[in-house]
Amino acid sequence: MKLDAHIPSGPLEQKWTNYVEHVKLLSPANKRKHTVIIVGTGLAGASAAATMAELGYNIKAFCYQDSARRAHSIAAQGGINATKNYQYDGDSVWRLFYDTIKGGDFRGREANTYRLAELSSNIIDQCVAQGVPFAREYSGYLRNRSFGGALVSRTFYARGATGQQLLLGAYSALSRQVAAGKVELHPRTDLQDLVVVDGKARGIIVRNMVTGRLESYVADAVILATGGYVNVYYLSTNAMGSNATAIWRAYRRGAGFANPCYMQIHPTCIPHTGDYQSKLTLMSESLRNDGRIWVPRKKGDTRDPNSIPESERYYYLEEKYPAYGNMVPRDVASRNAKYLCDQGYGVGPTGRGVYLDFRDAIKRLGMDAIVERYGNLFDMYERITGENAYETPMRIYPAPHYSMGGLWVDYELMSTIPGLFVLGEANFSDHGANRLGASAMMQGLADGYFIIPNTIGQYLAGITQGDVTTDNDAFREAQDTVQKRMDRLISVNGTKTVDTFHRELGHIMWDDVGMSRNETGLKDAIKRIQELRAEFWENVRIPGDQHDINQELEKAARVADFLELGELIARDALARDESAGGHFREEHQTEGGEALRDDEHFQHVAVWEYTGEGSEPVRHIEPLEFEWVTPTQRSYK
Amino acid sequence: MKLTLHIWRQKNPQDKGRFVTYHLDDADEDMSFLEMLDVLNQHLIEKGEEPVAFENDCREGICGMCGMMINGLAHGGMKGTTTCQLPLRHFKDGADITIEPWRSRAFPVMKDLIVDRSAFDRIIQAGGYISVNTGNAPDANTVLISRDTAELAMDYAECIGCGACVAACPNGASMLFMSAKIAHFSLLPQGQVEADKRVKAMVGQMQKEAFGACTNYTECEVACPKEISISAIARMNHDYLKAFWPGRAVGGGKHVA
Ligand SMILES: Cc1cc2nc3c(=O)[nH]c(=O)nc-3n(C[C@H](O)[C@H](O)[C@H](O)COP(=O)(O)OP(=O)(O)OC[C@H]3O[C@@H](n4cnc5c(N)ncnc54)[C@H](O)[C@@H]3O)c2cc1C
Ligand code: SF4
Ligand code: FES
């Protein structure tokens, strides 16, 4: 597997400008001759589809929901970063770049991360022009707030529904291109395989979720923007349908999978309650702007939190990290919460919770200000828990939230399969081993609005494509493979439901491949996942007909892939014998319990190559060179 | 908790459909409504029956994918709450609950509780956007927007496209959904430019779909999980009048910008 990141030469600040100035261009007439498949209509996919259609390409866009507007980007709450420096608090492209590289524990690529910071401002301009109603000051200027891992205020937001507003902006741009006849939309379709012809990505096989029939689509290039895969933990903050199938099928067709073990466990989610639970609800990180996190100083203290005096409260983040306090990066906040709960300091019925307290903020700013800033989040909390967080502190606990890993891509966002591009959370690119808050949406939109529309031309202008139709052997073979897999799933007719298997996988992943990992646990997890996978294929029960709406079959195909991906995550975590960002190996920690990197041996991206059913995947590396910053031990003290 | 559920089962659009009664003994008041249906479905699968098909995705009240009539009320009738966020503690132990799909000509039933809401997408495609190509935008602070205007635009922009307004309307009208988008855009200077064209195109598309007319029942506002105000409809009507008879609408209902 060849891993050339194709980083343009020249100084960091000029790489992207140079690239754009010298990139190969296609004439408008030639753009019209090209068809591009885009799977996913979230921030990354919808922005790419709209922009490329505006440029003249013919787009075929796919999503599994009934409408493009429902991609899981819709659920992002807190905000999106940009280096406008409207607050005049010392922000700059360099600072956002540095915060992001450092936040990722020096496991990201400098050139990509710098470009991301550079493009962030344009995103805000574009979204405002589309009618996104960002929060404003009384003066009419845009407003900002802070997010974790930063000392400046650079986050733009629309109440607690920033993702919804940004996605509806992209969806409206996409809808305009549908009306213009440049985008053909295929909702309710589930990607099941990638088709590679003569070494290049040329199409996809999908299952029509209404008729259950398999369909083939051909194009000159394929873009995957299918989101993250933390549903491998069963319970997470992702949507019920979020899945790894698209990128997993591409991996099996030869795309390298980078850093699968880098998982983000978000510190502020509503704690788990019972076995029937289907998902975990995020409480936006923006709450940490004003809420204070604490546990009682006494173990197993069951007193009403309001009756616990100040001296008996342990504001552990403020005490341990005076510089950043409650605004430390997510991995640090999550690990500290888990550690204290493991030690017996946790609160609530399960002991798996810490307090997020607004008492002092209400005193300082007044009730109205808190209602205005976070009202919808407090309402949501009350609906789920039945508790009023204005009166009694919220209880929060970490939950799987974001996958920093994904398909390996070069600077042009192309995977190791020529013609297959990957955008948004589905790629591995910009966040290293830990993503900072409010930067995923920035990345998805930078990828879709500003990067891919430039880089795809370079690819399409440089190749001559043979005439391929869906009658090609590669399409037939792929469709046949998918059909056999569907037949096999339906025919098992065992005794256990799909959810039962998914839940068991989630237990293994959370216990041994979760927030803290060690060699014994990881080895054991690999074995247990293999056993569970074998049992799945012997004993899963999927009722109903294949050629019909069949939600159990949809889930089963996804869980079957999670059962393979889970093992790869554990393998990657085992092979990365260091701690970095969200990947914490108990064997490697500082005296203070922080992640201890091993730059000498692990300053690289790990990229896995599929080698066939039952055969062990091969680990390749892309070395990370730091030319512009010096990796240091991350400190938020 | 013990519950008796009367659920609409319909194999496909051709099937006539019927209510089937199920008894559930192991519900828990900490469950969400959809988690209760998950539990029922697990039991059905274990018994070799087909589970109840219903749509959902985010389970956070934001994607707009879930939605069903619960005891005759869209999303179950708890103020400002989608079906996925409806807690079971809203119901009494031993309750009888009737569950049906959205009932509206414009939203044909596909299977059990799943309906086809693609008419909403077509209304947006007709004009629910501001025509700006990527790369055209000036600096975001060039055009100032007062806080009140931005907040009001946001009130309308929060629509999740769930369709409860249509399902709750005795006429099956889509006014609240459509006007929420129109009001959001026409409040903003960026959206003003195309306001006339937009309202004509969206209303035109609505008339081609199977939605009914609005006769001011205001049931939509009550059912809306995002509590979108029917003042949106007045704003849309104002824009509509202005688009056809520019002279007539001057001053009438003009918003504060
Ligand atoms: C609760 C929550 C809050 C968040 N808050 C923030 C925040 O405040 N700031 C921030 O920057 N980030 C936030 N994030 C992260 C951010 O929202 C996501 O990383 C980002 O939106 C992902 O966008 P995407 O376009 O890559 O994927 P998605 O929006 O997940 O879109 C995936 C698309 O792919 C399609 N798809 C997937 N699989 C298939 C398949 N097999 N076949 C066909 N189609 C498929 C889906 O239909 C969908 O259209 C949050 C995430 C969550 C879950
Ligand atoms: S207006 Fe309200 S009820 Fe109607 S689609 Fe929008 S959110 Fe749903
Ligand atoms: S499932 Fe998304 S709003 Fe209910």
Side-chain angles (χ1 to χ4, degrees), chain A residues 51 54 64 67 70 84 86 125 131 159 171 188 240-241 278-279 372 383-384 497 541 549 551, chain B residues 35 42 45-46 54-55 57-60 63 85 89 111 121 134 139-140 145 147 151 155 184:
Chain A
T51 306
E54 287 161 11
Y64 71 74
S67 164
R70 308 201 203 281
K84 286 284 190 188
Y86 286 156
D125 299 342
R159 284 193 196 146
Y171 161 78
R188 296 192 194 274
M240 302 303 287
S278 59
K279 81 159 284 164
E372 192 207 34
R383 231 175 281 130
I384 293 172
T497 65
R541 170 180 291 183
I549 295 179
Q551 296 177 317
Chain B
E35 283 166 349
Q42 295 299 301
I45 299 168
E46 277 153 16
F54 63 92
E55 285 197 292
D57 205 24
C58 72
R59 296 207 176 183
E60 285 188 17
C63 74
Q85 292 220 296
R89 69 181 92 80
K111 180 171 184 171
D121 284 316
T134 303
D139 180 82
I145 299 171
R147 183 163 176 168
E151 290 294 315
D155 287 344
H184 156 210

Side-chain angles (χ1 to χ4, degrees), chain B residues 120 159-165 176-177 224-226 228:
Chain B
F120 271 7
C159 162
I160 58 174
C162 62
C165 47
L176 195 62
F177 165 78
C224 175
K226 291 289 138 177
I228 309 270

